[in-house]
Amino acid sequence: MSGEGRRALLVLGLGHFINDLHTSTLYPLLPLIARRLNLSEAEVFWLAPLLNLTSSLLQPMYGFLADRYAPRAFAITGPALAGSFISLIGIAPSYGWLVLFLILGGMGNGAFHPQGAALVARANAHRRRLALSTFSSSGTLGFALGPMIITAIVAATDVTHTYLLMPLGWVAAVLIYRYGPRDDSPAASSDTREGFRQLTARLRGVWRPMLFLYLITVSRSATYVMINSYMPFILTQRGYSLRETGGLLTAYLLAGACGSFFGGAFAERFGGRWLTLGTGILVPLFLATAALTAGPVSAIALVAGGFALMSVFPVNVATAQELAPGETSTVSALMMGFAWGVGSMSPALCEPLARTLSFEGVLAAMTMFPLATSVLALWIPEERTLVWRPRVASPRPAD
């Protein structure tokens, strides 16, 4: 990597770390916030999906706008907005204000992701997979440590002191403004109608491999979110304490951060196709074992499964960017945001099945989806065929 590329990766990776750290602070505080505001179960149930929907499903819109206007501005303001509003959830005076803080904070969180990924990739074009893996794992690390940090603050003070995290978002914004990539020229036309025509033209020839990448990402994100939602119930039923449950889930999330990083390094050398196929076989093996066994075997399998599950996400983003080089923010948003938004609905959609099959049974069955979609990697062009491809040329699926 060049000096400019390393600097861009450092400041944007820090921004990703802080951005996602704020997002995960909501989950351990839900019982305290519910008690403070006297919320019903239905009101509490919608808080986390609301944050996820505003931060994930709107990302393609942010990406489309950034590709045509000012991608750097989106990357700068994202962490500042997320930090400013999500850190206020502990002092929300009512449910309405709480919802407003989560919506605005989620919008800031979502605005950063596609633009941050696009700027990192642009500054490290020749080491795109490694750079995006580092960028992705920094966000996963922040997400894993967020609950630990916020609970330490709340334990030392009380839930109304969540605002103490607010300066982190502003520090990230200032550093990205001062040291982030300076090339802010839009890659596409700023005219909306012309922009849609460009987007359609660029995606028309690559829709099939793009769809396959999307399906692979959705299946893995759905499994990832379901584990986060169901494993606490499984561990509680097995007699784990709150501290033990939190520690094991933190280990799972940290393993995912490591998987994101090492997956990119593996793909740089051997190709993303073999990474997707290999981990597609390992994911159901590890995660089904984690769901259906207990004790140290279950814990080790859960951590290994998190590593394998998360390894392909930055690689998929890099491949999508190479398929549509003029729409890097938009396709990053599709893979990082919209796919995760769709996948995040899996726990709610599968909840009726959990009543019949148990959390363990549904989770074990869900792990087969990454295996099924990993086969689609055979029809996604190898990375080396995309590097010097003309901007809008259609790659021929590999045999």
Side-chain angles (χ1 to χ4, degrees):
M1 294 181 184
S2 64
E4 180 182 355
R6 286 193 296 270
R7 186 178 65 183
L9 182 57
L10 178 63
V11 296
L12 291 167
L14 177 63
H16 198 190
F17 175 89
I18 293 173
N19 203 51
D20 285 12
L21 182 151
H22 279 100
T23 306
S24 65
T25 58
L26 171 66
Y27 301 101
L29 300 183
L30 285 175
L32 298 177
I33 292 173
R35 190 180 308 120
R36 180 174 180 270
L37 298 179
N38 194 27
L39 304 181
S40 67
E41 290 184 2
E43 289 173 325
V44 174
F45 175 79
W46 278 106
L47 292 177
L50 179 66
L51 175 60
N52 195 65
L53 290 174
T54 54
S55 65
S56 299
L57 291 184
L58 293 180
Q59 282 192 31
M61 180 188 72
Y62 303 138
F64 179 83
L65 293 174
D67 277 329
R68 283 149 185 85
Y69 297 101
R72 191 165 180 265
F74 280 79
I76 293 170
T77 58
L81 287 174
S84 295
F85 290 106
I86 296 178
S87 63
L88 295 177
I89 59 177
I91 62 172
S94 66
Y95 187 70
W97 279 102
L98 178 60
V99 167
L100 179 63
F101 291 156
L102 290 177
I103 290 175
L104 294 175
M107 292 176 65
N109 179 274
F112 171 80
H113 280 95
Q115 287 62 254
L119 290 172
V120 164
R122 193 177 304 167
N124 297 277
H126 296 294
R127 303 297 301 276
R128 185 187 298 259
R129 279 160 185 75
L130 183 60
L132 282 172
S133 295
T134 306
F135 175 77
S136 177
S137 60
S138 67
T140 307
L141 180 62
F143 192 87
L145 296 181
M148 184 186 304
I149 294 173
I150 195 63
T151 51
I153 291 175
V154 171
T157 55
D158 57 59
V159 73
T160 62
H161 285 73
T162 55
Y163 64 84
L164 292 175
L165 277 181
M166 186 183 296
L168 290 179
W170 288 97
V171 168
V174 170
L175 290 175
I176 295 172
Y177 173 79
R178 179 66 179 84
Y179 300 106
R182 293 289 175 180
D183 182 12
D184 201 25
S185 55
S189 170
S190 61
D191 179 78
T192 302
R193 290 184 179 179
E194 178 61 25
F196 276 114
R197 283 194 289 268
Q198 287 181 348
L199 176 63
T200 303
R202 284 169 173 152
L203 296 183
R204 184 182 297 119
V206 296
W207 70 268
R208 184 171 297 171
M210 198 73 75
L211 175 62
F212 292 166
L213 285 170
Y214 181 78
L215 292 175
I216 292 170
T217 304
V218 167
S219 70
R220 294 197 177 214
S221 63
T223 305
Y224 183 81
V225 174
M226 186 172 288
I227 291 169
N228 285 335
S229 300
Y230 285 3
M231 280 305 293
F233 292 96
I234 295 173
L235 296 174
T236 299
Q237 292 169 0
R238 293 175 180 172
Y240 282 67
S241 68
L242 180 61
R243 186 181 297 273
E244 290 170 336
T245 298
L248 186 53
L249 289 179
T250 297
Y252 164 75
L253 294 171
L254 290 174
C258 294
S260 295
F261 177 79
F262 287 105
F266 181 94
E268 284 280 357
R269 183 162 185 173
F270 301 104
R273 177 181 298 173
W274 299 113
L275 177 69
T276 302
L277 289 171
T279 57
I281 296 171
L282 294 175
V283 163
L285 175 64
F286 289 140
L287 294 182
T289 300
L292 299 176
T293 63
V297 172
S298 177
I300 294 171
L302 181 65
V303 172
F307 184 96
L309 186 65
M310 291 293 290
S311 61
V312 304
F313 284 106
V315 178
N316 285 354
V317 174
T319 303
Q321 290 178 348
E322 291 171 347
L323 285 166
E327 305 287 345
T328 54
S329 293
T330 305
V331 297
S332 297
L334 286 171
M335 297 299 159
M336 298 178 67
F338 198 74
W340 276 90
V342 173
S344 69
M345 299 178 187
S346 61
L349 293 175
C350 294
E351 190 270 337
L353 289 176
R355 300 176 191 172
T356 304
L357 301 178
S358 77
F359 289 120
E360 292 91 340
V362 173
L363 189 56
M366 186 67 191
T367 62
M368 298 306 295
F369 282 91
L371 173 61
T373 57
S374 67
V375 179
L376 297 174
L378 294 172
W379 288 273
I380 297 173
E382 286 280 26
E383 291 79 1
R384 61 177 174 271
T385 68
L386 299 174
V387 174
W388 302 110
R389 188 175 55 80
R391 274 177 75 95
V392 194
S394 302
R396 181 176 63 86
D399 294 331

